[in-house]
Amino acid sequence: MAGLVESIGKNVTRFAPGDKVFGETFTELQWRNGGAFAEYVSVPQDALALKPNGITFEQAAAVPTSGFIALHNLQNEGQIQPGQSVLINGAGGGVGTIAVQLAKAYGARVTGVDSTKKLEMVRSLGADHVIDYTQEDFTQRGECYDLILDIASNLSFSGCKRALTLTGTYVLIGHDHFGDVGSRTFGSLPHFFKIVALSPFVSQLPDLSFSIPNKKDIMALLAEFLEAGKLTPVIDRTYPLSEVPEAMRYLQAGHARGKIIITP
Ligand SMILES: NC(=O)c1ccc[n+]([C@@H]2O[C@H](COP(=O)([O-])OP(=O)(O)OC[C@H]3O[C@@H](n4cnc5c(N)ncnc54)[C@H](OP(=O)(O)O)[C@@H]3O)[C@@H](O)[C@H]2O)c1
């Protein structure tokens, strides 16, 4: 979410009423708290950063959660390095559109995989190459990548190994599919647990620490990328608060380009 600080608690030192901020409504695990379909939210200061000038509140609101997921997984799990070859599977969605831009900002060569209608947009975000998943299975191409970010979470690790360099890393991001695209009973959970079980024994899987990354630092870094023009949020549609059910139906259909935004 993004907005104006209306009032602050007695221990708040980083922000003052009137500040323009963006961030998340929770600091720890997503399923414990959170939610921002509201005109007012009560948030911990360390989940926020000052909104960069030149970015609208709508654009800023598009960044925190997806940006956090993209940045944490590229940086901490994927250990992205300049010059690396990075493949982003699901590059045209909420997390993917941010991951493509951040990977470019880190100096990687980026290949984005998504469906036909999203490829031009993925290219416009800076992807060096795009692959249409409806036409081609990139794991059969004979090309190898240093990092595969599996946001769509439809890939098997054994398939991805063919497309990884010997020192490459496979990072599974998607933990579930919702709505019309959520056809599997347990979503991505069996896949996720398999990866967790294999990770201590396989060098191409990151060590999963389950530690909660520092949200304050990640928000500050996302603000820097926005400020520097290295990250431009992609907004598919904007809905007023009164139309949240309609917005959710659209999101659940699973074909949004980038993010959808709720405005007060
Ligand atoms: N968004 C967040 O803030 C957030 C936070 C935490 C975790 N996650 C997890 O991250 C995952 C993705 O979230 P998201 O918000 O980015 O979803 P999204 O906006 O629906 O994006 C997913 C993208 O993957 C594409 N896709 C579908 N099937 C594919 C395939 N077989 N191969 C390659 N690409 C494919 C979709 O394109 P088409 O369907 O149009 O073809 C879409 O562009 C979910 O599992 C979600 O639970 C998201």
Side-chain angles (χ1 to χ4, degrees), residues 24 30 64-67 69 88-97 113-118 133-134 150-155 173-178 181 188 251 253-259:
E24 292 197 296
Q30 228 159 308
T65 305
S66 301
I69 296 293
I88 295 170
N89 190 46
V95 179
T97 49
V113 181
D114 214 298
S115 53
T116 323
K117 59 188 182 305
K118 293 185 178 172
Y133 78 81
T134 67
D150 185 7
I151 301 171
S153 73
N154 64 304
L155 303 170
I173 291 192
H175 51 66
D176 231 322
H177 293 287
F178 301 105
V181 284
S188 317
L251 187 68
H255 301 300
R257 289 162 181 252
K259 303 290 290 182

Side-chain angles (χ1 to χ4, degrees), residues 62-82:
V63 171
T65 305
S66 301
F68 176 82
I69 296 293
L71 187 54
H72 168 66
N73 284 284
L74 284 169
Q75 194 184 248
N76 303 27
E77 305 290 337
Q79 301 279 315
I80 189 169
Q81 302 294 330

